[in-house]
Amino acid sequence: MIKVLIADDEPLVQAGIKSMINWSDLDMSIVGTASNGSIAYNMIDELHPDIIITDIKMPVMSGLELAKKCHEEKRDLPIFIFLTSFEDFQFVKEAMTYRVNDYLIKLELTPEALTESLNLAVSRLQEIQKKYNTVERSTVDSLYLMKDQFFTRLLLNLFESNVQFEAQRDNLRIDFDYDAFAVGYLTINSDKMDTMDSDKILNLYTSSMQVVTELISKYVPCHVIAKEVNCLNIIFFLKGMEPESYKSIIENALNHVSVMLYNYYNVNISVAIGSIVSSPLQISTSYQDAKQVSSYLDKDHKILFFDEMSDMKTFTNVFNLSLFKEDIRKAYIEYDKEALRDIFNSIIELFNGQTPHFIQALDAASSVLYMSLSLLNNGEQVVTSIFSDNPNGYRSLYELTTVEQIMQWLEVLRDGLCETLESQNKSHKNHIVENVKKYVKEHINEKLSLNAVSEIFNISPNYLSVLFSKFNDVGFTDYINQCKIEVAERMLMEGDYKIYEISDKLGFESAFYFSRVFKKVTGVSPRNYVSGNANIK
């Protein structure tokens, strides 16, 4: 789907463009909005839009300045469509030097004119994509997905240890320098749904979610994850205040967002906020608390905090994924279809036997889906393909109305995942080894151990060791030593470094240990290697 970003300092113009056409008919989605060019520029690297519709004049940074900056950075994408007024024509000629694709006059903007301009942009996009390195682009998108998966693991408590969490945090460069954290469980509702078809409902929810995602971060630092069709999880990052002050800030932010959504889209939001915790690894606790509180949201209580619920009746039980998470994680990592089938069957039998409430069954299926998307390699693509026959894909889960339907949905997911695990077993294991080898070469100057690298790839050290020996000529440790010594040989030949300096730069414990490894790999000591190759240099 083609990604579109809207940049305009007038909220009504943003809303007007969003509602002017059915974006899904053009295979497009609006991934965000910005009130000036500076914000839009920061969103380009985060959201990777293919097309930007921008006002040519805006405060802080104009659309013209934004296009110029992207042109100077030799960016083929995004493609620019300018919104202008009659008095802006003196800027249009300059805009064309920055390869702006089209311009539209605001007062004359119609759905037909906008569609025609977008189709022209798509034609240019197709030309650019022919010369684009699609592998490189997908790598960038994968990094964004990896961050989303990282936060999903926090929500579901999927990290095996603090060491694993820290390794992935550092690798993704995610900042957790905050004093406290809390999770909000936000749902979007509209009274208009009964009179709307499914496409319009989906567009309404999508637009509302984008507004929430953009606005909420202006009031409080956070990370937003789209969990369901009409549900978002918000991880709030809190700093330098007492718990009561945190609550006030969160509530203020949610009230502002609520008013904006109601004014523009006539939709309402309900938000349950879990307990305030002091460590990132406790975020899952706040998430479970938020889900508990969500069952008490109603028209009179649209924002509820966990610590305000003490006087209310005992919470309704929600599905506890921790009972199955380790087994599911291991089945995905080891591509063990039989183990995964047994786990799914156990979950299905559990619900069939206890006749749970509908909300519990939905929570169970949603948690399993969320974990599959997060932990399975290419989880989004895999799960999407399993439900490709359904117009709404795997999100059809949220259209179901009975426990029996949800269990049938789980059976479809189970069978599809087991088939995937069987077909991708060998190739995936080899892919892990290749990615590990690539990681080793990219971090050759660091101290690399089996435990540390396995943490990065979210697999056990023993499993990585077995895989490496099976799909490589040498074992893991020997491979690292070979790679380091290859670099050391080049450094010795250059003659710019002393032996202890090379040892330090390549992450060896000492120059003595470096010399031992060097001799084991090459057959000679570093000094003899230099003297034996002196005539070559």
Side-chain angles (χ1 to χ4, degrees):
M1 185 166 282
I2 297 170
K3 302 177 183 178
V4 180
L5 176 67
I6 298 173
D8 197 292
D9 57 329
E10 299 180 48
L12 289 178
V13 173
Q14 295 179 9
I17 293 174
K18 286 181 179 181
S19 59
M20 185 168 288
I21 60 175
N22 189 330
W23 294 90
S24 61
D25 287 349
L26 300 178
D27 194 31
M28 295 182 181
S29 66
I30 299 175
V31 296
T33 56
S35 58
N36 61 60
S38 179
I39 295 174
Y41 178 76
N42 293 331
M43 294 173 74
I44 289 174
D45 287 330
E46 178 183 356
L47 301 176
H48 313 298
D50 302 296
I51 300 170
I52 290 185
I53 303 173
T54 178
D55 192 350
I56 199 169
K57 290 171 63 178
M58 290 183 292
V60 184
M61 179 189 288
S62 69
L64 188 64
E65 292 169 323
L66 175 63
K68 179 181 179 182
K69 190 167 186 176
C70 291
H71 178 69
E72 290 173 346
E73 294 175 355
K74 303 186 184 302
R75 295 176 183 258
D76 285 327
L77 295 176
I79 296 167
F80 280 87
I81 298 174
F82 273 175
L83 301 174
T84 71
S85 57
F86 288 109
E87 62 267 22
D88 294 333
F89 277 141
Q90 70 269 26
F91 300 117
V92 171
K93 183 176 180 180
E94 180 183 354
M96 292 309 169
T97 65
Y98 306 138
R99 295 186 296 181
V100 171
N101 206 63
D102 198 7
Y103 65 91
L104 300 169
I105 299 173
K106 283 187 178 181
L107 294 178
E108 298 179 353
L109 187 59
T110 63
E112 293 75 19
L114 178 58
T115 300
E116 182 180 356
S117 182
L118 288 167
N119 286 333
L120 289 174
V122 171
S123 297
R124 183 175 168 194
L125 176 63
Q126 291 171 343
E127 294 176 2
I128 293 173
Q129 287 175 334
K130 290 179 182 178
K131 64 176 183 177
Y132 236 77
N133 185 338
T134 56
V135 174
E136 179 180 346
R137 183 67 183 272
S138 65
T139 299
V140 174
D141 289 339
S142 294
L143 179 60
Y144 182 76
L145 179 61
M146 285 173 65
K147 288 185 177 181
D148 227 32
Q149 291 175 340
F150 173 88
F151 283 105
T152 298
R153 291 188 179 106
L154 275 182
L155 287 177
L156 299 179
N157 190 26
L158 301 181
F159 287 106
E160 295 182 64
S161 65
N162 192 55
V163 173
Q164 185 186 74
F165 160 75
E166 291 175 350
Q168 293 190 26
R169 176 202 63 191
D170 295 343
N171 194 45
L172 294 172
R173 298 179 181 178
I174 297 174
D175 179 22
F176 281 103
D177 185 21
Y178 293 90
D179 299 323
F181 309 88
V183 176
Y185 189 92
L186 183 150
T187 54
I188 300 171
N189 305 288
S190 173
D191 296 332
K192 300 188 298 181
M193 285 194 304
D194 293 338
T195 61
M196 300 169 64
D197 59 36
S198 58
D199 287 340
K200 288 184 178 179
I201 291 174
L202 184 60
N203 286 335
L204 177 65
Y205 283 148
T206 301
S207 299
S208 300
M209 285 181 170
Q210 288 166 352
V211 170
V212 173
T213 302
E214 180 182 347
L215 287 183
I216 197 74
S217 60
K218 293 182 179 180
Y219 297 97
V220 57
C222 62
H223 184 87
V224 181
I225 301 173
K227 185 175 184 290
E228 304 166 10
V229 173
N230 68 327
C231 178
L232 295 172
N233 292 137
I234 308 172
I235 303 176
F236 295 103
F237 305 126
L238 309 167
K239 194 167 189 176
M241 298 179 187
E242 295 297 322
E244 288 301 318
S245 299
Y246 293 145
K247 288 174 56 179
S248 176
I249 289 175
I250 292 173
E251 189 167 14
N252 178 63
L254 293 173
N255 282 328
H256 277 90
V257 172
S258 178
V259 170
M260 185 73 72
L261 279 174
Y262 187 79
N263 288 341
Y264 285 132
Y265 295 109
N266 196 28
V267 299
N268 297 296
I269 61 172
S270 299
V271 193
I273 299 95
S275 54
I276 294 174
V277 297
S278 59
S279 165
L281 289 175
Q282 296 174 324
I283 283 175
S284 60
T285 300
S286 182
Y287 172 60
Q288 290 295 326
D289 293 341
K291 287 200 298 182
Q292 297 271 24
V293 174
S294 66
S295 61
Y296 293 97
L297 293 167
D298 55 37
K299 64 179 182 178
D300 297 320
H301 302 89
K302 293 186 176 181
I303 299 177
L304 288 175
F305 287 83
F306 177 78
D307 62 3
E308 297 173 344
M309 307 296 290
S310 58
D311 295 333
M312 301 187 74
K313 60 184 178 181
T314 304
F315 289 152
T316 303
N317 290 329
V318 295
F319 178 71
N320 188 357
L321 187 65
S322 63
L323 298 174
F324 300 94
K325 73 167 188 174
E326 290 303 322
D327 292 334
I328 293 177
R329 185 191 63 78
K330 184 178 180 182
Y332 283 152
I333 290 175
E334 299 184 3
Y335 272 54
D336 189 338
K337 71 165 188 174
E338 296 302 330
L340 188 68
R341 184 179 296 278
D342 290 342
I343 295 165
F344 268 71
N345 289 342
S346 297
I347 294 173
I348 293 170
E349 289 173 7
L350 176 65
F351 279 87
N352 286 337
Q354 294 186 1
T355 315
H357 296 296
F358 172 80
I359 192 65
Q360 292 173 295
L362 181 61
D363 184 65
S366 179
S367 296
V368 172
L369 168 64
Y370 216 17
M371 188 172 184
S372 301
L373 294 172
S374 172
L375 292 185
L376 190 63
N377 186 43
N378 296 322
E380 180 77 26
Q381 296 91 321
V382 170
V383 178
T384 297
S385 67
I386 292 173
F387 293 92
S388 59
D389 292 338
N390 191 296
N392 288 327
Y394 62 78
R395 296 185 185 277
S396 58
L397 168 66
Y398 306 107
E399 301 171 348
L400 306 180
T401 57
T402 68
V403 173
E404 290 74 17
Q405 290 174 345
I406 292 175
M407 293 304 107
Q408 291 170 4
W409 183 94
L410 270 177
E411 290 174 356
V412 173
L413 178 64
R414 175 200 64 194
D415 295 343
L417 289 175
C418 288
E419 183 178 340
T420 298
L421 296 190
E422 182 177 23
S423 64
Q424 296 185 2
N425 193 320
K426 183 175 180 180
S427 61
H428 174 67
K429 291 177 179 179
N430 191 36
H431 185 65
I432 290 178
V433 173
E434 292 304 314
N435 282 341
V436 170
K437 290 166 69 174
K438 180 181 178 182
Y439 179 86
V440 167
K441 290 184 177 180
E442 291 175 349
H443 297 79
I444 198 65
N445 294 335
E446 301 174 12
K447 291 182 179 180
L448 298 170
S449 67
L450 181 63
N451 287 341
V453 175
S454 64
E455 294 282 1
I456 293 294
F457 287 87
N458 195 31
I459 57 181
S460 69
N462 182 63
Y463 185 61
L464 175 57
S465 178
V466 171
L467 282 185
F468 215 88
S469 299
K470 183 176 181 180
F471 292 97
N472 202 54
D473 294 336
V474 297
F476 178 80
T477 302
D478 288 339
Y479 178 78
I480 290 177
N481 288 337
Q482 285 182 0
C483 291
K484 285 183 178 288
I485 298 308
E486 286 176 7
V487 176
E489 287 178 297
R490 292 196 297 270
M491 296 174 74
L492 287 169
M493 289 295 292
E494 291 168 1
D496 296 329
Y497 300 97
K498 294 180 171 57
I499 291 175
Y500 73 86
E501 291 176 327
I502 296 175
S503 170
D504 184 60
K505 285 184 175 293
L506 292 178
F508 284 94
E509 295 177 4
S510 66
F512 174 74
Y513 180 66
F514 164 68
S515 297
R516 283 180 54 192
V517 174
F518 191 96
K519 186 172 183 179
K520 179 180 178 181
V521 174
T522 65
V524 296
S525 68
R527 295 187 186 281
N528 290 340
Y529 180 85
V530 173
S531 61
N533 290 279
N535 58 331
I536 297 177
K537 184 172 186 294

